[in-house]
Amino acid sequence: MSKSLQAIRGMNDILPEQTPLWRYFEGTVARLLDNYGYRQIRMPIVEFTELFKRSIGEVTDIVEKEMYTFDDRNGDSLTLRPEGTAACVRAVLEHGITGGGQVQKLWYIGPMFRHERPQKGRYRQFHQIGLEVFNLDGPDIDAELIVMTWRLWGELGLRDAVKLELNSLGTSESRGRYREALVEFLSAHLDKLDEDSQRRLKTNPLRVLDTKNADTQAVLADAPKMADYLDDESRAHFEGLKARLDAVGIPYVINPKLVRGLDYYSKTVFEWVTDKLGAQGTVCAGGRYDGLVEQMGGKPTPGVGFAMGIERLVLMLEALDKVPEELARQVDVYLCAFGEAAELAALALSERVRDQLPNLRLQINAGAGSFKSQFKKADKSGALYALILGDDELAQQVVGFKPLRGQGEQQSIAWDALAAHLATCVVQG
Ligand code: ATP
Ligand code: MG
């Protein structure tokens, strides 16, 4: 096939076989966020390039090498969003909805774009559900974010497969002092650091902690620890968070090397990781970013948030066999009509039934096809019941009602009684 007729590498179609699981996942998260009082916000997919450079940080993987950037027709530099926080902060500032200390608890869902090497769990267009909370500065809200995700893993059956890693990056002052100590230590081991880390040491030294290079990791084992440099306020905040997680019984491990790939974090950072997906093990990540809003031109506004990767979580549900059985069945009732007059009656009848049972998943197969072929389709659809409407049924104003799964005789049901009958035998979600 010619290349222009293929999807772009790392950008996937999500086929009809896969969308039920996506919708199940997305629906579960949306319901949970609704229940905790979070409100959805929808931002554009494209923003000015400058927005991402300013918020994410110039010396980050995303800004240095992963952004899809292009010139608009008028010469403006635009970028397909690589993450949601920057745009969300831009939106709340632009609309003034965090002014005067107004609390906002927001969530969003949608595609993100990063030019990375495509592999399992890592794509160039991928999807996130993220949330951001503004104007709450206590550890209670950091805890709420984590508690909500813990509940989500519970609902999805994933609790045993994920692990929570926590760290505190402190305030910018304490991080500054730590940075100095780290630079001093790493400079003394410069020759043992990988090339990227040598460069980062000059531009963004904390990012060295995030290295995947084994030699550099070995050097880091003896490096100074952020925990020893935390200011009292950050320390108290971190203790407050841990106490709340303990109160709910959420297990965690402290990972002193957890710094996250974006520059804007302060105090709490966390990741939910799994060993079920190979190298792409982080399924949800976030933290506090108390300085970001101000850095982007707003009044000082505390913020905290996270984002989860939908592809990775969908992969996990599949890998661990946590796909709910009912997803296999997308049709409750399949109506087969034979003959022109019967088809008309079937359409009118099905609309009457839908009026009374708005949640019924009824598929109608009007159109050509022998009895046998229509029945095959009914069976293949996964429906629980087939309805049959031919000339005989038409004359008597009934339908044949045939259970497709398990035993049960075919019976005749009057049109007027059909909705009531279906209501008793189809459990509606
Ligand atoms: P990683 O360390 O895996 O590159 P990250 O730190 O870059 O992740 P974030 O920017 O924090 O990731 O994004 C939050 C979540 O979005 C990640 O934990 C992951 O689940 C998902 N994610 C990030 N990049 C990709 C990608 N290229 N493809 C699929 N999912 C992704
Ligand atoms: Mg990344």
Side-chain angles (χ1 to χ4, degrees), residues 209-224:
L209 296 176
D210 202 29
T211 183
K212 307 269 190 292
N213 182 284
D215 296 337
T216 305
Q217 278 177 347
V219 174
L220 285 171
D222 301 322

Side-chain angles (χ1 to χ4, degrees), residues 22 38 83 86-87 106 118 126 132 142 161 190 208 210 213-214 236 282 307 326 345 363 405 413:
W22 278 68
Y38 287 69
E83 55 105 54
L106 306 172
F126 62 99
E132 317 291 348
D142 303 19
L190 196 60
V208 175
D210 202 29
N213 182 284
T282 306
E326 60 269 23
Q363 194 172 324
R405 317 284 144 202
I413 313 263

Side-chain angles (χ1 to χ4, degrees), residues 114 116 121-123 126 128 260 262 282-285 307 309 312:
R114 298 183 194 176
E116 304 195 70
R122 191 176 293 286
Y123 311 98
F126 62 99
Q128 285 184 341
R260 310 281 306 113
L262 303 84
T282 306
V283 291
C284 174
R312 290 185 194 178

